[in-house]
Amino acid sequence: MPTLRIAIVGAGPAGIYAADILLREAHGTDVSIDLFEQLPAPYGLVRYGVAPDHPRIKGIVNALRDVLDRGVVRLFGNVRFGEDITLDDLKQHYNAVLFSTGAIKDAELDVPGVDLDGSHGAADFVSWFDGHPDVPRTWPLTASSVAVIGNGNVALDVSRILAKHADDLLPTEIPANVYEGLQASPVTDVHVFGRRGPAQVKFTPLELRELGELRDVDMVVYDEDFGHDEASLTAIQTNKQVMVMNRVLEQWRTREVGQASRRLHLHFWAKPVEIVGEDGHVTALRYERTRPNGEGGVEGTGEVRELPVQAVYRAVGYFGSPLPGVPFDEKTGVIPNREGQVLDEDGSPLPGVYATGWIKRGPVGLIGHTKSDAMETVQHIVNDQASWWTPADPSPEAVPALLRERGVDYTDLDGWHALDEHEQALGAAEGRERIKVVPRDEMVDVSLRRMPSPTS
Protein backbone atom coordinates (compact mmCIF):
# COMPACT_ATOMS: atom_id res chain seq x y z
CA MET A 1 0.00 0.00 0.00
CA PRO A 2 1.46 3.40 -0.98
CA THR A 3 2.01 5.92 1.80
CA LEU A 4 1.20 9.62 1.49
CA ARG A 5 2.71 11.90 4.09
CA ILE A 6 1.32 15.37 3.46
CA ALA A 7 1.82 18.73 5.17
CA ILE A 8 -1.11 21.15 5.16
CA VAL A 9 -0.09 24.75 5.86
CA GLY A 10 -3.03 26.59 7.40
CA ALA A 11 -5.40 25.05 9.99
CA GLY A 12 -8.51 27.03 9.13
CA PRO A 13 -11.68 25.57 7.57
CA ALA A 14 -10.03 25.08 4.16
CA GLY A 15 -7.12 23.09 5.56
CA ILE A 16 -9.19 20.99 7.97
CA TYR A 17 -11.86 20.23 5.36
CA ALA A 18 -9.10 19.17 2.95
CA ALA A 19 -7.62 16.87 5.59
CA ASP A 20 -11.00 15.28 6.20
CA ILE A 21 -11.68 14.75 2.48
CA LEU A 22 -8.18 13.38 1.90
CA LEU A 23 -8.61 10.79 4.63
CA ARG A 24 -11.89 9.67 3.09
CA GLU A 25 -10.95 9.79 -0.59
CA ALA A 26 -7.43 8.34 -0.69
CA HIS A 27 -8.60 4.74 -1.05
CA GLY A 28 -5.81 2.19 -0.98
CA THR A 29 -3.32 4.75 0.36
CA ASP A 30 -1.95 5.04 3.88
CA VAL A 31 -2.43 8.75 4.56
CA SER A 32 -0.56 10.70 7.24
CA ILE A 33 -1.43 14.39 7.67
CA ASP A 34 0.31 17.14 9.63
CA LEU A 35 -1.38 20.55 9.94
CA PHE A 36 0.87 23.59 10.38
CA GLU A 37 -0.66 26.79 11.73
CA GLN A 38 1.13 30.08 12.41
CA LEU A 39 -1.25 30.88 15.30
CA PRO A 40 -1.24 28.89 18.54
CA ALA A 41 -4.89 27.88 17.97
CA PRO A 42 -6.64 26.29 14.97
CA TYR A 43 -9.81 27.26 13.04
CA GLY A 44 -8.47 30.34 11.25
CA LEU A 45 -11.30 32.41 9.75
CA VAL A 46 -13.91 30.95 12.08
CA ARG A 47 -11.96 32.06 15.16
CA TYR A 48 -10.49 35.30 13.83
CA GLY A 49 -12.64 36.41 10.89
CA VAL A 50 -16.24 35.94 12.02
CA ALA A 51 -17.91 38.53 14.25
CA PRO A 52 -18.29 37.28 17.85
CA ASP A 53 -22.07 37.81 17.82
CA HIS A 54 -22.52 35.14 15.11
CA PRO A 55 -22.82 31.94 17.16
CA ARG A 56 -24.66 30.15 14.33
CA ILE A 57 -21.74 30.60 11.95
CA LYS A 58 -19.29 29.65 14.66
CA GLY A 59 -21.16 26.35 14.91
CA ILE A 60 -18.90 25.30 12.03
CA VAL A 61 -16.26 24.85 14.73
CA ASN A 62 -18.10 21.71 15.86
CA ALA A 63 -17.54 20.07 12.48
CA LEU A 64 -13.89 21.14 12.41
CA ARG A 65 -13.37 19.89 15.96
CA ASP A 66 -14.73 16.48 15.00
CA VAL A 67 -12.07 16.14 12.30
CA LEU A 68 -9.21 17.07 14.64
CA ASP A 69 -10.47 15.09 17.60
CA ARG A 70 -10.35 11.80 15.73
CA GLY A 71 -6.65 11.85 16.56
CA VAL A 72 -5.60 10.97 13.02
CA VAL A 73 -4.35 14.44 12.03
CA ARG A 74 -1.46 16.05 13.94
CA LEU A 75 -1.52 19.78 14.68
CA PHE A 76 1.60 21.96 14.90
CA GLY A 77 0.50 25.41 16.04
CA ASN A 78 2.58 28.55 16.58
CA VAL A 79 4.76 27.52 13.60
CA ARG A 80 5.48 30.19 10.99
CA PHE A 81 5.99 28.87 7.48
CA GLY A 82 9.12 30.37 5.93
CA GLU A 83 10.66 31.04 9.36
CA ASP A 84 10.21 28.04 11.67
CA ILE A 85 9.82 25.58 8.80
CA THR A 86 10.48 26.06 5.08
CA LEU A 87 9.46 24.51 1.80
CA ASP A 88 12.82 22.75 1.60
CA ASP A 89 12.22 21.30 5.07
CA LEU A 90 8.84 19.94 4.00
CA LYS A 91 10.39 18.27 0.95
CA GLN A 92 12.72 16.38 3.30
CA HIS A 93 9.84 14.94 5.34
CA TYR A 94 6.68 14.77 3.21
CA ASN A 95 5.44 13.59 -0.17
CA ALA A 96 3.48 16.79 -0.82
CA VAL A 97 2.33 20.08 0.69
CA LEU A 98 -1.09 21.72 0.51
CA PHE A 99 -1.33 25.47 1.17
CA SER A 100 -4.59 26.71 2.72
CA THR A 101 -3.41 30.00 4.17
CA GLY A 102 -6.46 32.07 3.23
CA ALA A 103 -6.48 35.84 2.74
CA ILE A 104 -6.15 38.19 5.70
CA LYS A 105 -5.09 41.55 4.23
CA ASP A 106 -7.42 44.25 2.95
CA ALA A 107 -7.77 44.70 -0.79
CA GLU A 108 -6.65 48.14 -1.92
CA LEU A 109 -9.10 50.98 -2.52
CA ASP A 110 -7.71 53.36 -5.11
CA VAL A 111 -9.06 56.73 -4.00
CA PRO A 112 -7.27 59.83 -2.73
CA GLY A 113 -6.97 60.09 1.04
CA VAL A 114 -6.87 56.37 1.70
CA ASP A 115 -3.76 56.78 3.88
CA LEU A 116 -5.19 59.47 6.15
CA ASP A 117 -5.30 58.95 9.89
CA GLY A 118 -8.77 57.56 10.57
CA SER A 119 -8.89 55.53 7.36
CA HIS A 120 -8.92 51.85 8.36
CA GLY A 121 -8.96 48.50 6.64
CA ALA A 122 -11.88 46.33 7.67
CA ALA A 123 -9.64 43.26 7.98
CA ASP A 124 -7.54 44.99 10.62
CA PHE A 125 -10.64 45.98 12.59
CA VAL A 126 -12.07 42.46 12.39
CA SER A 127 -8.75 41.06 13.66
CA TRP A 128 -8.91 43.49 16.58
CA PHE A 129 -12.45 42.75 17.70
CA ASP A 130 -11.86 39.01 17.23
CA GLY A 131 -8.82 39.09 19.51
CA HIS A 132 -6.15 38.19 16.96
CA PRO A 133 -2.86 37.87 18.86
CA ASP A 134 -0.76 39.71 16.25
CA VAL A 135 -2.59 43.06 16.18
CA PRO A 136 -2.46 45.91 18.73
CA ARG A 137 -4.67 45.59 21.82
CA THR A 138 -6.20 49.05 21.32
CA TRP A 139 -8.25 50.57 18.52
CA PRO A 140 -8.85 54.32 17.90
CA LEU A 141 -12.61 54.47 18.50
CA THR A 142 -12.88 58.26 18.71
CA ALA A 143 -15.32 59.06 15.86
CA SER A 144 -18.96 59.96 16.39
CA SER A 145 -19.76 59.61 12.68
CA VAL A 146 -18.24 56.76 10.65
CA ALA A 147 -18.35 55.67 7.00
CA VAL A 148 -18.06 52.02 5.95
CA ILE A 149 -17.33 51.41 2.28
CA GLY A 150 -18.63 48.12 0.90
CA ASN A 151 -21.83 46.15 0.40
CA GLY A 152 -20.75 42.68 1.50
CA ASN A 153 -21.08 40.75 4.75
CA VAL A 154 -17.79 42.07 6.10
CA ALA A 155 -19.10 45.62 5.71
CA LEU A 156 -22.18 44.62 7.69
CA ASP A 157 -20.09 42.93 10.40
CA VAL A 158 -17.97 46.04 10.80
CA SER A 159 -21.02 48.32 10.80
CA ARG A 160 -22.91 46.19 13.28
CA ILE A 161 -20.01 45.96 15.74
CA LEU A 162 -19.48 49.73 15.52
CA ALA A 163 -23.18 50.54 16.03
CA LYS A 164 -24.04 47.89 18.59
CA HIS A 165 -23.92 48.77 22.27
CA ALA A 166 -20.96 47.06 23.92
CA ASP A 167 -23.07 45.57 26.72
CA ASP A 168 -25.02 43.62 24.10
CA LEU A 169 -21.78 41.88 23.11
CA LEU A 170 -21.04 40.61 26.63
CA PRO A 171 -22.76 37.25 26.07
CA THR A 172 -20.17 36.58 23.34
CA GLU A 173 -16.49 35.64 23.67
CA ILE A 174 -15.11 39.16 23.09
CA PRO A 175 -11.97 39.86 25.09
CA ALA A 176 -12.00 42.47 27.83
CA ASN A 177 -9.93 44.98 25.83
CA VAL A 178 -12.45 44.87 22.96
CA TYR A 179 -15.42 45.36 25.28
CA GLU A 180 -13.71 48.29 27.00
CA GLY A 181 -12.83 49.93 23.70
CA LEU A 182 -16.33 49.62 22.26
CA GLN A 183 -17.95 50.72 25.52
CA ALA A 184 -16.00 54.00 25.39
CA SER A 185 -16.82 54.65 21.72
CA PRO A 186 -18.67 57.96 21.12
CA VAL A 187 -20.24 56.72 17.87
CA THR A 188 -23.75 57.86 17.05
CA ASP A 189 -23.95 57.36 13.27
CA VAL A 190 -22.57 54.62 11.00
CA HIS A 191 -23.01 55.14 7.25
CA VAL A 192 -22.63 52.19 4.84
CA PHE A 193 -21.90 53.01 1.18
CA GLY A 194 -22.40 50.82 -1.88
CA ARG A 195 -21.92 51.89 -5.49
CA ARG A 196 -24.77 49.69 -6.74
CA GLY A 197 -28.44 49.56 -5.84
CA PRO A 198 -30.26 47.66 -3.08
CA ALA A 199 -30.99 44.73 -5.44
CA GLN A 200 -27.28 44.22 -6.16
CA VAL A 201 -25.91 44.00 -2.62
CA LYS A 202 -23.64 41.11 -1.67
CA PHE A 203 -25.13 40.67 1.81
CA THR A 204 -26.88 37.51 2.89
CA PRO A 205 -30.46 37.81 4.24
CA LEU A 206 -29.43 36.64 7.70
CA GLU A 207 -26.76 39.33 8.01
CA LEU A 208 -29.16 42.03 6.81
CA ARG A 209 -32.00 41.03 9.12
CA GLU A 210 -29.66 41.07 12.12
CA LEU A 211 -29.05 44.77 11.61
CA GLY A 212 -32.70 45.53 12.17
CA GLU A 213 -32.63 43.68 15.50
CA LEU A 214 -29.98 45.87 17.14
CA ARG A 215 -31.13 47.39 20.40
CA ASP A 216 -31.41 51.20 20.45
CA VAL A 217 -30.18 51.54 16.86
CA ASP A 218 -32.34 53.05 14.12
CA MET A 219 -32.03 51.66 10.59
CA VAL A 220 -32.09 54.56 8.14
CA VAL A 221 -32.62 54.08 4.40
CA TYR A 222 -33.33 56.74 1.78
CA ASP A 223 -36.28 56.79 -0.64
CA GLU A 224 -34.12 58.18 -3.46
CA ASP A 225 -32.25 54.85 -3.56
CA PHE A 226 -35.29 52.69 -4.30
CA GLY A 227 -36.31 53.52 -7.88
CA HIS A 228 -35.71 50.02 -9.24
CA ASP A 229 -34.57 49.65 -12.84
CA GLU A 230 -35.58 46.67 -15.01
CA ALA A 231 -32.54 44.59 -14.04
CA SER A 232 -33.23 45.17 -10.34
CA LEU A 233 -36.88 44.20 -10.69
CA THR A 234 -35.87 41.01 -12.50
CA ALA A 235 -33.39 40.16 -9.72
CA ILE A 236 -36.07 40.70 -7.06
CA GLN A 237 -38.57 38.52 -8.93
CA THR A 238 -36.22 35.66 -9.79
CA ASN A 239 -33.76 35.41 -6.89
CA LYS A 240 -35.17 34.34 -3.53
CA GLN A 241 -32.35 35.87 -1.50
CA VAL A 242 -32.71 39.22 -3.29
CA MET A 243 -36.48 39.07 -2.81
CA VAL A 244 -36.09 38.50 0.94
CA MET A 245 -33.58 41.33 1.31
CA ASN A 246 -35.75 43.67 -0.72
CA ARG A 247 -38.64 42.90 1.61
CA VAL A 248 -36.48 43.70 4.64
CA LEU A 249 -35.32 47.00 3.14
CA GLU A 250 -38.86 47.97 2.17
CA GLN A 251 -40.01 47.33 5.73
CA TRP A 252 -37.26 49.60 7.03
CA ARG A 253 -38.53 52.38 4.76
CA THR A 254 -41.77 52.40 6.75
CA ARG A 255 -40.18 52.41 10.21
CA GLU A 256 -40.28 55.47 12.38
CA VAL A 257 -36.82 56.66 13.33
CA GLY A 258 -35.51 59.26 15.72
CA GLN A 259 -35.91 57.59 19.10
CA ALA A 260 -32.70 55.57 19.22
CA SER A 261 -29.36 56.91 20.47
CA ARG A 262 -27.53 55.46 17.45
CA ARG A 263 -28.30 55.24 13.75
CA LEU A 264 -27.09 52.91 11.01
CA HIS A 265 -27.56 54.43 7.54
CA LEU A 266 -27.52 52.48 4.26
CA HIS A 267 -26.55 54.54 1.19
CA PHE A 268 -26.94 52.93 -2.24
CA TRP A 269 -25.92 54.24 -5.68
CA ALA A 270 -22.95 55.93 -3.98
CA LYS A 271 -19.39 55.53 -5.30
CA PRO A 272 -16.63 56.84 -3.00
CA VAL A 273 -14.27 59.14 -4.90
CA GLU A 274 -12.16 60.66 -2.10
CA ILE A 275 -11.53 60.38 1.60
CA VAL A 276 -11.25 64.00 2.60
CA GLY A 277 -8.89 65.11 5.32
CA GLU A 278 -7.56 68.07 7.22
CA ASP A 279 -4.26 68.14 9.11
CA GLY A 280 -3.73 64.52 8.12
CA HIS A 281 -6.99 63.22 9.60
CA VAL A 282 -10.25 62.12 8.00
CA THR A 283 -12.94 64.79 7.99
CA ALA A 284 -15.39 63.61 5.31
CA LEU A 285 -16.20 61.07 2.60
CA ARG A 286 -16.77 62.45 -0.87
CA TYR A 287 -18.87 60.25 -3.16
CA GLU A 288 -20.56 60.38 -6.54
CA ARG A 289 -24.15 59.35 -7.08
CA THR A 290 -24.40 56.49 -9.60
CA ARG A 291 -27.17 54.97 -11.70
CA PRO A 292 -27.69 51.77 -13.72
CA ASN A 293 -25.93 51.76 -17.09
CA GLY A 294 -28.38 49.34 -18.71
CA GLU A 295 -25.75 46.60 -19.00
CA GLY A 296 -25.78 45.30 -15.46
CA GLY A 297 -23.28 47.83 -14.16
CA VAL A 298 -23.34 51.42 -12.99
CA GLU A 299 -22.19 54.76 -14.28
CA GLY A 300 -21.54 58.08 -12.60
CA THR A 301 -24.14 60.83 -12.67
CA GLY A 302 -21.68 63.65 -12.08
CA GLU A 303 -23.44 64.57 -8.85
CA VAL A 304 -20.85 64.66 -6.06
CA ARG A 305 -21.78 64.82 -2.39
CA GLU A 306 -19.78 65.03 0.81
CA LEU A 307 -20.64 63.58 4.19
CA PRO A 308 -18.75 64.74 7.30
CA VAL A 309 -17.22 61.74 9.12
CA GLN A 310 -14.22 61.27 11.37
CA ALA A 311 -13.36 57.70 10.33
CA VAL A 312 -13.66 55.50 7.24
CA TYR A 313 -13.56 51.70 7.16
CA ARG A 314 -12.74 50.07 3.82
CA ALA A 315 -14.57 46.74 3.47
CA VAL A 316 -13.93 46.14 -0.23
CA GLY A 317 -12.53 42.62 0.01
CA TYR A 318 -9.57 40.61 1.23
CA PHE A 319 -6.25 39.87 -0.46
CA GLY A 320 -3.83 36.95 -0.12
CA SER A 321 -0.23 37.16 1.07
CA PRO A 322 2.83 35.60 -0.61
CA LEU A 323 4.57 32.63 0.99
CA PRO A 324 8.38 32.24 0.92
CA GLY A 325 9.49 30.03 -1.95
CA VAL A 326 5.96 29.58 -3.34
CA PRO A 327 4.71 31.14 -6.62
CA PHE A 328 2.36 34.08 -6.10
CA ASP A 329 0.26 36.29 -8.39
CA GLU A 330 0.66 39.85 -7.10
CA LYS A 331 -2.27 41.06 -9.20
CA THR A 332 -4.89 38.60 -7.96
CA GLY A 333 -3.44 37.76 -4.55
CA VAL A 334 -3.53 33.98 -5.06
CA ILE A 335 -1.09 31.13 -5.63
CA PRO A 336 -1.20 30.42 -9.40
CA ASN A 337 -2.86 27.05 -9.86
CA ARG A 338 -4.92 24.83 -12.10
CA GLU A 339 -7.67 23.16 -10.08
CA GLY A 340 -5.42 23.31 -7.03
CA GLN A 341 -2.20 22.16 -8.72
CA VAL A 342 0.28 24.99 -8.12
CA LEU A 343 1.88 26.26 -11.34
CA ASP A 344 5.42 27.48 -11.88
CA GLU A 345 6.42 30.53 -13.97
CA ASP A 346 5.90 28.76 -17.30
CA GLY A 347 2.47 27.45 -16.30
CA SER A 348 3.55 23.87 -15.61
CA PRO A 349 2.36 22.02 -12.48
CA LEU A 350 4.88 22.21 -9.65
CA PRO A 351 5.35 18.63 -8.38
CA GLY A 352 4.12 18.04 -4.86
CA VAL A 353 2.69 21.54 -4.29
CA TYR A 354 -1.05 22.25 -4.04
CA ALA A 355 -3.46 24.96 -2.86
CA THR A 356 -7.03 25.18 -1.61
CA GLY A 357 -9.36 27.80 -0.15
CA TRP A 358 -9.02 31.55 -0.62
CA ILE A 359 -5.30 31.38 -1.41
CA LYS A 360 -6.33 29.18 -4.35
CA ARG A 361 -9.43 30.92 -5.71
CA GLY A 362 -9.44 34.35 -4.08
CA PRO A 363 -11.59 35.61 -1.18
CA VAL A 364 -14.99 34.70 -2.61
CA GLY A 365 -17.68 32.41 -1.32
CA LEU A 366 -18.77 31.45 2.17
CA ILE A 367 -16.90 29.12 4.49
CA GLY A 368 -18.94 26.14 3.34
CA HIS A 369 -17.77 26.61 -0.25
CA THR A 370 -14.31 25.44 0.76
CA LYS A 371 -15.54 21.83 0.87
CA SER A 372 -16.12 21.52 -2.88
CA ASP A 373 -12.97 23.52 -3.47
CA ALA A 374 -10.95 21.10 -1.34
CA MET A 375 -12.46 18.07 -3.08
CA GLU A 376 -11.16 19.32 -6.45
CA THR A 377 -7.63 19.77 -5.10
CA VAL A 378 -7.63 16.46 -3.21
CA GLN A 379 -8.54 14.55 -6.37
CA HIS A 380 -5.39 15.89 -8.02
CA ILE A 381 -3.24 15.06 -4.99
CA VAL A 382 -4.47 11.46 -5.00
CA ASN A 383 -4.01 11.07 -8.77
CA ASP A 384 -0.53 12.65 -8.85
CA GLN A 385 1.29 9.86 -7.03
CA ALA A 386 3.93 9.65 -9.80
CA SER A 387 5.02 13.24 -9.07
CA TRP A 388 5.01 13.14 -5.25
CA TRP A 389 8.24 14.06 -3.52
CA THR A 390 10.50 11.32 -2.18
CA PRO A 391 11.33 12.50 1.37
CA ALA A 392 14.74 11.73 2.86
CA ASP A 393 13.26 11.21 6.35
CA PRO A 394 9.50 10.58 6.42
CA SER A 395 9.47 9.33 10.01
CA PRO A 396 6.75 10.90 12.23
CA GLU A 397 9.36 11.89 14.84
CA ALA A 398 11.47 13.95 12.42
CA VAL A 399 9.40 17.15 12.33
CA PRO A 400 8.83 17.51 16.10
CA ALA A 401 12.57 16.94 16.59
CA LEU A 402 13.38 19.60 13.96
CA LEU A 403 11.11 22.16 15.61
CA ARG A 404 12.52 21.47 19.05
CA GLU A 405 16.04 21.77 17.71
CA ARG A 406 15.13 25.22 16.36
CA GLY A 407 13.63 26.29 19.66
CA VAL A 408 10.07 26.56 18.35
CA ASP A 409 7.42 26.44 21.08
CA TYR A 410 4.93 24.60 18.93
CA THR A 411 1.47 23.75 20.24
CA ASP A 412 -0.37 20.52 19.52
CA LEU A 413 -3.92 19.22 19.72
CA ASP A 414 -3.67 18.53 23.45
CA GLY A 415 -2.44 22.08 23.85
CA TRP A 416 -5.43 23.43 21.95
CA HIS A 417 -7.73 21.42 24.23
CA ALA A 418 -5.99 22.99 27.23
CA LEU A 419 -6.44 26.50 25.78
CA ASP A 420 -10.05 25.76 24.85
CA GLU A 421 -10.83 24.62 28.40
CA HIS A 422 -8.95 27.61 29.84
CA GLU A 423 -11.01 30.10 27.79
CA GLN A 424 -14.23 28.39 28.79
CA ALA A 425 -13.19 28.56 32.44
CA LEU A 426 -12.47 32.28 32.09
CA GLY A 427 -15.96 32.74 30.68
CA ALA A 428 -17.64 30.60 33.33
CA ALA A 429 -16.17 32.79 36.05
CA GLU A 430 -18.18 35.70 34.57
CA GLY A 431 -21.25 33.76 33.52
CA ARG A 432 -20.21 33.64 29.88
CA GLU A 433 -19.57 30.74 27.52
CA ARG A 434 -15.97 31.77 26.81
CA ILE A 435 -13.53 34.67 27.03
CA LYS A 436 -10.89 34.53 24.36
CA VAL A 437 -7.21 34.73 25.36
CA VAL A 438 -5.53 37.37 23.18
CA PRO A 439 -1.74 37.64 23.80
CA ARG A 440 0.22 35.07 21.79
CA ASP A 441 2.65 34.29 24.62
CA GLU A 442 -0.23 33.64 27.00
CA MET A 443 -1.92 31.37 24.45
CA VAL A 444 1.31 29.40 24.10
CA ASP A 445 1.90 29.23 27.86
CA VAL A 446 -1.61 27.89 28.46
CA SER A 447 -1.27 25.41 25.59
CA LEU A 448 2.04 24.13 26.97
CA ARG A 449 0.52 23.98 30.47
CA ARG A 450 2.83 26.61 31.86
CA MET A 451 -0.09 28.47 33.47
CA PRO A 452 -2.63 27.22 36.02
CA SER A 453 -6.27 27.00 35.02
CA PRO A 454 -8.56 29.77 36.38
CA THR A 455 -10.46 27.05 38.21
CA SER A 456 -7.42 25.51 39.92
Side-chain angles (χ1 to χ4, degrees), residues 130-181:
D130 268 333
H132 194 291
D134 296 336
V135 301
R137 300 281 75 79
T138 59
W139 190 268
L141 291 164
T142 58
S144 60
S145 185
V146 178
V148 178
I149 300 172
N151 261 184
N153 283 343
V154 174
L156 290 196
D157 277 352
V158 168
S159 304
R160 190 180 65 256
I161 295 297
L162 286 168
K164 197 169 188 174
H165 290 274
D167 284 351
D168 294 337
L169 286 166
L170 276 178
T172 76
E173 62 187 36
I174 63 165
N177 66 296
V178 176
Y179 169 73
E180 292 162 4

Side-chain angles (χ1 to χ4, degrees), residues 126-289:
V126 171
S127 292
W128 175 75
F129 68 60
D130 268 333
H132 194 291
D134 296 336
V135 301
R137 300 281 75 79
T138 59
W139 190 268
L141 291 164
T142 58
S144 60
S145 185
V146 178
V148 178
I149 300 172
N151 261 184
N153 283 343
V154 174
L156 290 196
D157 277 352
V158 168
S159 304
R160 190 180 65 256
I161 295 297
L162 286 168
K164 197 169 188 174
H165 290 274
D167 284 351
D168 294 337
L169 286 166
L170 276 178
T172 76
E173 62 187 36
I174 63 165
N177 66 296
V178 176
Y179 169 73
E180 292 162 4
L182 291 170
Q183 187 181 42
S185 169
V187 69
T188 58
D189 291 86
V190 178
H191 299 264
V192 185
F193 290 86
R195 62 188 183 90
R196 296 176 181 268
Q200 288 80 40
V201 296
K202 300 298 183 182
F203 313 140
T204 54
L206 174 63
E207 293 265 0
L208 189 65
R209 280 197 297 261
E210 285 177 341
L211 289 185
E213 298 169 359
L214 298 180
R215 180 182 65 85
D216 191 33
V217 178
D218 278 338
M219 291 303 306
V220 183
V221 292
Y222 297 88
D223 288 340
E224 65 175 343
D225 291 337
F226 286 85
H228 295 305
D229 64 301
E230 186 175 339
S232 296
L233 289 172
T234 299
I236 293 168
Q237 293 165 0
T238 60
N239 186 302
K240 186 175 181 180
Q241 284 200 332
V242 176
M243 179 183 66
V244 170
M245 289 188 288
N246 179 70
R247 187 181 301 139
V248 171
L249 293 169
E250 290 291 346
Q251 289 172 350
W252 289 350
R253 291 178 71 185
T254 65
R255 282 189 183 181
E256 290 188 15
V257 298
Q259 301 301 313
S261 66
R262 296 180 178 181
R263 291 158 293 279
L264 205 162
H265 310 252
L266 298 181
H267 302 269
F268 302 104
W269 307 112
K271 177 186 176 182
V273 295
E274 183 179 358
I275 301 173
V276 182
E278 184 176 320
D279 297 328
H281 197 283
V282 171
T283 57
L285 179 69
R286 188 171 294 150
Y287 62 97
E288 180 182 13
R289 288 285 293 175

Side-chain angles (χ1 to χ4, degrees), residues 111-119 273-287 304-312:
V111 298
V114 73
D115 294 325
L116 287 167
D117 186 21
S119 171
V273 295
E274 183 179 358
I275 301 173
V276 182
E278 184 176 320
D279 297 328
H281 197 283
V282 171
T283 57
L285 179 69
R286 188 171 294 150
Y287 62 97
V304 176
R305 300 180 183 178
E306 191 169 297
L307 178 74
V309 294
Q310 299 86 48
V312 173

